[in-house]
Amino acid sequence: MLRFVLSRLISLVLSLAAASLVIFAVVEVIPGDPASYMLGLNAEPETLAALRRDLGLEGGIAARYLSWAGGLLHGDFGTSYTYRVPVADLVSARLWVSLPLTLYALILSTLIAIPVGMLAAARRGGPADFGIMGATQLGIAVPNFWFAMLLVLVLAIRNPWFPAGGFPGWEKGLWVNLRALTLPAVALALPQAAILARIMRSSLLEVLGQDYIRTARAKGLSRGAAVLKHGLRNALIPVMTILGLQFSFLLAGAIIIEKVFFLPGLGLLIFQGITQRDLIVVESVVMLLVFAVILVTFFVDIAYAAIDPRLRRRR
């Protein structure tokens, strides 16, 4: 197990190094100069040069990359060109919106998808299976921002059970903020639950056809007991892959939902950084999201090895 973990750690470090190179290169080749954008077209050359020097935009690309990457290693994300405050402060303020929203949506998605997928597999070919598969197909086809607007119309305007948007801040109390995040989390969770339920159904159906399930049934176990005791653990392996990908997508890809519900999250921060040519914000936040994706993938691999001991024995 230790060797398996070490190999995955090496892979994680190499992936982060490669990702930092790609992110820096892609952002740097975007047309436009942040200093020119901030000062306007009629800026004096001396003023422009002074601002570029103040923003750290002078020097070669290699030197700027090493300075940026070295700062990341020490927890220094740089200073925002637009807000003139440390990027770490901007990220921490918005992370406490995006991260709870992501976890809330992921928990809802899992609580909906796994029982629904198991029910569809257990009732394969029956009315429940057809109904669930139809609903999941609809959930995949309909975009999450449409769900968001429908939820606002039904549960915030016609029936004011939840706020229509905004985030009061954690100092206002846990319950107030959970109510504010409920509709965005549901809008994010429904399409992801539809995908996860279909994966769960397919994986469980494949497991139910294995010899060890038939052997367990022959020994007297009921179908439900055989599934829960022997089949569910193996069926969860592909489901965990989708969960890891969904966490990454929800954390980084909730920008539209954040716009609909006026949530000051990381997605909105990236959007503002792109429109304002705030390159240091874009580079640092995207690198943070990539780190989260790679870290989640690492933990998924470790969970694989814990669920399936065969993976620990492979060279």
Side-chain angles (χ1 to χ4, degrees), residues 64-191:
R64 286 160 56 192
Y65 168 75
L66 291 176
S67 175
W68 173 67
L72 291 180
L73 291 176
H74 294 89
D76 181 12
F77 292 94
T79 302
S80 168
Y81 302 159
T82 304
Y83 301 102
R84 307 304 296 156
V85 297
V87 177
D89 293 346
L90 296 175
V91 170
S92 61
R94 287 158 174 78
L95 187 63
W96 287 108
V97 178
S98 292
L99 185 59
L101 175 62
T102 298
L103 294 175
Y104 196 179
L106 194 66
I107 291 171
L108 289 177
S109 173
T110 305
L111 292 177
I112 295 170
I114 291 182
V116 167
M118 293 177 64
L119 177 61
R123 300 290 187 268
R124 181 182 183 182
D129 186 23
F130 283 114
I132 290 172
M133 288 300 99
T136 57
Q137 189 63 47
L138 182 64
I140 295 172
V142 176
N144 55 17
F145 65 84
W146 188 87
F147 280 126
M149 292 186 291
L150 183 63
L151 289 171
V152 169
L153 178 63
V154 175
L155 299 179
I157 297 177
R158 293 186 178 177
N159 302 289
W161 298 338
F162 297 95
F167 186 75
W170 292 108
E171 67 277 2
K172 300 294 184 180
L174 178 63
W175 174 245
V176 174
N177 290 279
L178 284 180
R179 288 185 70 248
L181 292 178
T182 296
L183 293 186
V186 172
L188 287 171
L190 289 178

Side-chain angles (χ1 to χ4, degrees), residues 20 49 54-55 68 78 82 110 117 128 138 147 181 192 194 199 203-204 206-207 242 257 297 305 313:
S20 67
D54 183 52
L55 297 178
W68 173 67
T82 304
T110 305
L138 182 64
F147 280 126
L181 292 178
Q192 303 305 314
I199 298 296
S203 178
L204 194 55
E206 183 179 354
V207 168
I242 304 301
I257 298 299
T297 304
R313 305 189 192 107

